[in-house]
Amino acid sequence: MDKTLFEKIWQHHLVQELDDGAALIYIDRVFLHERTGSIALKSLEADKRKVVSPEHVFCTMDHIVDTVIGRGDNTKVPSGKNFILATRDACIDARIKLFDVNDPQQGIVHVVSPELGIVQPGATLVCPDSHTCSQGALGALAWGIGSSEAEHALATKTLRVSKPKTMKVNFNGQLGFGVTAKDMILHLIGKYSAAGGAGYVIEFGGTAVDALDIEGRLTLCNMAVEFSAFTGLVAPDDKAIAYLKGREYTPKGALWQQAVAFWQSLYSDEHAQFDKTIEIDCADISPTITWGNSPQHACAVDSVVPFAPADATQNQLQALNRAYEYMDLPAGSALKGLPIGAAFIGSCTNSRISDLRLAAKVLKGRKVAENVNAICVPGSTTVKRQAEAEGLDKIFIAAGFEWREAGCSMCFFAGGESFGYRQRVVTSTNRNFESRQGPETRSHLASPATVAACAIAGCIADVREYL
Amino acid sequence: MEKFTVHQGVAAPMLQINIDTDAIIPSREMKLVSKQGLGEGLFAGWRYTLPNGREPNEDFVLNQAQYKNSSILLAGDNFGCGSSREHAVWALKEYGIKAIIAPGFGSIFYHNCIRNGILPVVLGNDEVLALANHVEKDPQTCQVNINLLECYVCAYNTDHQSTELEATDSVNETLRFSFSILPAQQEMLLEGLDGIALTLKSKSNIASFKQAYQRQYPWLA
Ligand code: SF4
């Protein structure tokens, strides 16, 4: 019988059906970070349990570590140092590979894992971080879990998982000028709501996904969780295989040949049945930006803050009114031209080399508007070095951007650094939740190219006028 | 882990949709390398007048006298979406929340609840609203009762009882909704079971699977 890509991977990892529609699933790789990994490892030890396959476990310092140049173990996040020290000790004790604060391969987990070839097609990978879905871009089944589940995966090399339903999202046609993977996923969530993917594993496909490079697919899959999906994935093609070739943790020699032969069998069969299918015409996608406090509040950059639909329920109205109020944007307000106080390029969504190249293209020879606090935080130390080798750092700095060390940084506010109180920020991150980037900060999600254009304009701007 | 069988208590309505885990526990409130010490930070952004402050915001539902000692939340759809932080559940638990009733939950959050002894109940939107209407009449006496053995939720008036709890008399049968939960999740909550211990019963299965798996996919071994 024809199978979807997801069903194939599920079958390969099925240790045992449990009696309730759930299954015991074998886990190939676990990734940890200092924020939740430290707690999981500590708690495991307290329960006298062991990490059964430490060689398959990796850890990075990304969430709490400072991103200022010259950083060490001290952090602006209150008591952050404790997380760093506890993680380091726990990794040493458990013999887990750690990408430590000043390791040349340190960076955000979902940037580091693909770039080192730790995530591979057809594998299962989990991490106590919701954006683990990003890594599905390489054809892996990768999903975010909680800390207790991480303990479970570390101690048993399995997880108990309820089987999700399957959804195919096809992006048909070609992306318009100035439109990126970020705009695709914001458009999808804007159209089908932040709960639109609940209960599903989503395979992204269609001509526009085929045409994306791997970094674009990582951006697309990154926000599957913002669509409430179990996870997202893309069938591995020649681009995925070429991307992985030669990376540090990918197989070499005969094993590489064997792996590639297997990877080529990872696609949804022609007549495979999905529980749901969504078709998107890429001609409908403009450079997109969010206006509210949920990723579903996304619209074309040249449109206005939408009015409540006539059929809105009481709860929906309440949420919309809260969003208008929180963002200080009444329905009908134009987005373009709205003054901003800060611009942020970074996060596991958009901080890879292709993102920085595109932003640099917009910034080259231009200056960030006065009063705009503009910051660029590369996703990994590897990305940072590559960007510096290409001279991108000089373009960012000359334009007036701050150029940082790798990490999650101001993607979220942990009590240390943040954007200003009620400040309006255009950001390449994935969450515009209330106070996500600082106390009552008003975050507008957009592509890194749009963020760069807004930084120059000093207000929300249409990137197409800057390319 | 604490067992969950039957629980009755004050229920607070927070019916806004998409309440995310950043709102449940802001990052800045996660200060310790620990699962403890989080209750005070629960809903900190809404609960206190100032970020990092501790002066209660009187408008926030859990700060209102009539919702004192709430142990149940009546929530909007997609409650607990967003960040995977289990701290959200640890904070709710430490605060004293035993169950959350909503039309839908963020999926990582849902599992985190089960693993920590909090019962997530999925009911229809109208059913949650009906319970909220019941509660709002007088939250301290118009309570909610949840029975995990028989999988139902009902409105409960402490007024109707004489001196002792007499479930049959005091249950307002007009508001009684059944819900479903996977048997293994029900069992974990009822028995207070730890998932790892449960899985380790399959240890030999896992070992033989691993052997075969590593032969077939040696590059992942
Ligand atoms: S960059 Fe932001 S979204 Fe991504 S892992 Fe870090 S904190 Fe989470």
Side-chain angles (χ1 to χ4, degrees), chain B:
Chain B
M1 209 170 74
E2 217 178 302
K3 298 178 181 183
F4 190 115
T5 45
V6 178
H7 176 76
Q8 170 226 318
V10 176
M14 297 186 71
L15 298 174
Q16 190 185 323
I17 57 170
N18 297 331
I19 292 182
D20 57 75
T21 51
D22 280 63
I24 299 172
I25 180 96
S27 287
R28 60 178 184 277
E29 296 289 346
M30 295 153 49
K31 294 174 192 138
L32 305 173
V33 190
S34 167
K35 302 179 179 181
Q36 264 92 46
L38 294 155
E40 224 190 278
L42 181 71
F43 295 118
W46 297 337
R47 190 167 151 201
Y48 306 115
T49 49
L50 288 174
N52 293 320
R54 282 294 181 260
E55 191 194 318
N57 166 13
E58 299 304 335
D59 292 341
F60 181 61
V61 56
L62 294 176
N63 289 337
Q64 295 168 2
Q66 68 267 38
Y67 288 108
K68 201 170 163 237
N69 296 327
S70 288
S71 57
I72 299 168
L73 293 182
L74 300 172
D77 195 11
N78 208 20
F79 186 84
C81 60
S83 158
S84 66
R85 60 185 68 168
E86 197 158 323
H87 306 70
V89 173
W90 298 329
L92 286 160
K93 187 174 167 181
E94 192 172 311
Y95 182 86
I97 300 297
K98 302 268 187 267
I100 305 161
I101 305 173
F105 291 90
S107 89
I108 301 174
F109 178 84
Y110 185 92
H111 288 105
N112 285 343
C113 282
I114 305 263
R115 285 179 184 278
N116 287 281
I118 292 184
L119 172 63
V121 176
V122 179
L123 288 185
N125 208 14
D126 293 343
E127 296 170 338
V128 179
L129 274 182
L131 288 172
N133 286 336
H134 156 75
V135 162
E136 278 160 2
K137 283 181 269 176
D138 177 10
Q140 290 294 321
T141 55
C142 298
Q143 302 192 350
V144 169
N145 182 297
I146 305 171
N147 186 319
L148 180 60
L149 288 162
E150 294 171 40
C151 292
Y152 69 82
V153 174
C154 62
Y156 188 100
N157 288 315
T158 55
D159 269 359
H160 295 181
Q161 84 197 79
S162 42
T163 46
E164 307 235 313
L165 285 184
E166 280 245 14
T168 43
D169 292 347
S170 43
V171 166
N172 173 350
E173 289 288 344
T174 55
L175 276 190
R176 190 181 199 274
F177 307 117
S178 51
F179 64 88
S180 58
I181 181 168
L182 291 176
Q185 299 180 335
Q186 184 186 23
E187 188 192 336
M188 274 175 78
L189 286 165
L190 286 174
E191 304 293 331
L193 277 186
D194 161 354
I196 298 180
L198 209 63
T199 297
L200 286 177
K201 289 188 194 161
S202 307
K203 211 170 169 177
S204 62
N205 262 353
I206 299 173
S208 51
F209 180 91
K210 185 172 175 178
Q211 257 192 359
Y213 185 87
Q214 294 192 335
R215 259 199 314 277
Q216 196 169 1
Y217 310 105
W219 62 91
L220 289 170

Side-chain angles (χ1 to χ4, degrees), chain A residues 33 35 62-63 108-111 129-132 134 222 226 344 346-349 351 407-412 429-431 436, chain B residues 83 85:
Chain A
H33 58 72
R35 179 173 201 108
D62 56 0
H63 276 66
I108 305 172
V109 41
H110 316 304
V111 178
D129 187 281
S130 57
H131 292 100
T132 308
S134 316
N222 176 269
E226 257 51 69
F344 183 73
S347 89
C348 55
T349 322
S351 63
C408 296
S409 194
M410 282 190 270
C411 168
F412 78 119
T429 55
N430 46 42
R431 287 193 175 134
R436 170 83 178 176
Chain B
S83 158
R85 60 185 68 168

Side-chain angles (χ1 to χ4, degrees), chain A residues 107-165:
Chain A
I108 305 172
V109 41
H110 316 304
V111 178
V112 169
S113 178
E115 132 190 305
L116 296 179
I118 292 170
V119 62
Q120 292 172 22
T124 50
L125 181 148
V126 294
C127 170
D129 187 281
S130 57
H131 292 100
T132 308
C133 51
S134 316
Q135 305 188 38
L138 284 157
L141 191 63
W143 71 99
I145 56 176
S147 299
S148 301
E149 284 190 285
E151 289 175 41
H152 190 288
L154 291 167
T156 70
K157 213 158 170 27
T158 65
L159 277 179
R160 308 168 77 86
V161 195
S162 318
K163 194 174 182 179
K165 292 179 285 180

Side-chain angles (χ1 to χ4, degrees), chain A residues 110-441:
Chain A
H110 316 304
V111 178
V112 169
S113 178
E115 132 190 305
L116 296 179
I118 292 170
V119 62
Q120 292 172 22
T124 50
L125 181 148
V126 294
C127 170
D129 187 281
S130 57
H131 292 100
T132 308
C133 51
S134 316
Q135 305 188 38
L138 284 157
L141 191 63
W143 71 99
I145 56 176
S147 299
S148 301
E149 284 190 285
E151 289 175 41
H152 190 288
L154 291 167
T156 70
K157 213 158 170 27
T158 65
L159 277 179
R160 308 168 77 86
V161 195
S162 318
K163 194 174 182 179
K165 292 179 285 180
T166 54
M167 184 191 292
K168 181 84 191 283
V169 175
N170 288 318
F171 285 95
N172 305 310
Q174 270 185 350
L175 293 182
F177 178 64
V179 178
T180 67
K182 180 65 160 286
D183 304 295
M184 293 163 75
I185 189 70
L186 285 175
H187 177 86
L188 175 73
I189 299 169
K191 194 160 171 190
Y192 292 92
S193 96
Y200 292 95
V201 55
I202 298 177
E203 182 178 340
F204 293 106
T207 46
V209 173
D210 296 344
L212 284 177
D213 60 15
I214 298 304
E215 297 195 351
R217 294 178 192 174
L218 284 160
T219 301
L220 188 67
C221 291
N222 176 269
M223 290 187 71
V225 67
E226 257 51 69
F227 196 41
S228 296
F230 172 74
T231 189
L233 77 174
V234 178
D237 57 2
D238 291 348
K239 276 189 210 177
I241 292 166
Y243 173 92
L244 287 167
K245 190 158 182 142
R247 297 198 183 248
E248 187 166 338
Y249 289 90
T250 52
K252 305 286 172 331
L255 278 181
W256 169 260
Q257 299 303 335
Q258 204 182 339
V260 168
F262 170 66
W263 294 344
Q264 285 166 338
S265 73
L266 295 172
Y267 51 82
S268 290
D269 297 327
E270 200 182 337
H271 298 293
Q273 292 289 318
F274 290 87
D275 295 305
K276 186 171 179 178
T277 302
I278 288 178
E279 304 286 345
I280 301 269
D281 182 353
C282 289
D284 296 338
I285 310 179
S286 305
T288 302
I289 192 163
T290 62
W291 61 265
N293 58 1
S294 158
Q296 73 180 22
H297 297 145
C299 58
V301 72
D302 51 2
S303 62
V304 299
V305 174
F307 289 87
D311 59 351
T313 64
Q314 201 52 36
N315 290 352
Q316 284 167 341
L317 273 180
Q318 200 189 353
L320 275 174
N321 287 331
R322 171 66 194 169
Y324 298 142
E325 182 201 27
Y326 180 83
M327 297 300 285
D328 192 24
L329 281 179
S333 318
L335 286 160
K336 219 175 132 181
L338 196 65
I340 62 166
F344 183 73
I345 295 179
S347 89
C348 55
T349 322
N350 283 121
S351 63
R352 298 181 181 81
I353 191 70
S354 57
D355 298 315
L356 303 191
R357 283 182 190 138
L358 188 60
K361 200 171 151 191
V362 173
L363 296 175
K364 192 164 186 172
R366 296 188 171 113
K367 287 265 182 243
V368 169
E370 251 179 78
N371 304 327
V372 173
N373 175 18
I375 298 172
C376 176
V377 182
S380 71
T381 306
T382 308
V383 170
K384 180 172 183 257
R385 266 183 287 129
Q386 173 70 27
E388 287 170 352
E390 296 177 19
L392 303 182
D393 57 324
K394 298 209 171 56
I395 298 176
F396 275 92
I397 293 166
F401 263 80
E402 221 185 295
W403 181 252
R404 295 275 192 112
E405 297 289 356
C408 296
S409 194
M410 282 190 270
C411 168
F412 78 119
F413 171 47
E417 267 190 297
S418 74
F419 292 106
Y421 178 63
R422 297 196 175 167
Q423 191 170 45
R424 198 173 293 288
V425 183
V426 181
T427 173
S428 73
T429 55
N430 46 42
R431 287 193 175 134
N432 50 349
F433 298 162
E434 293 185 11
S435 302
R436 170 83 178 176
Q437 294 186 289
E440 296 189 30
T441 299

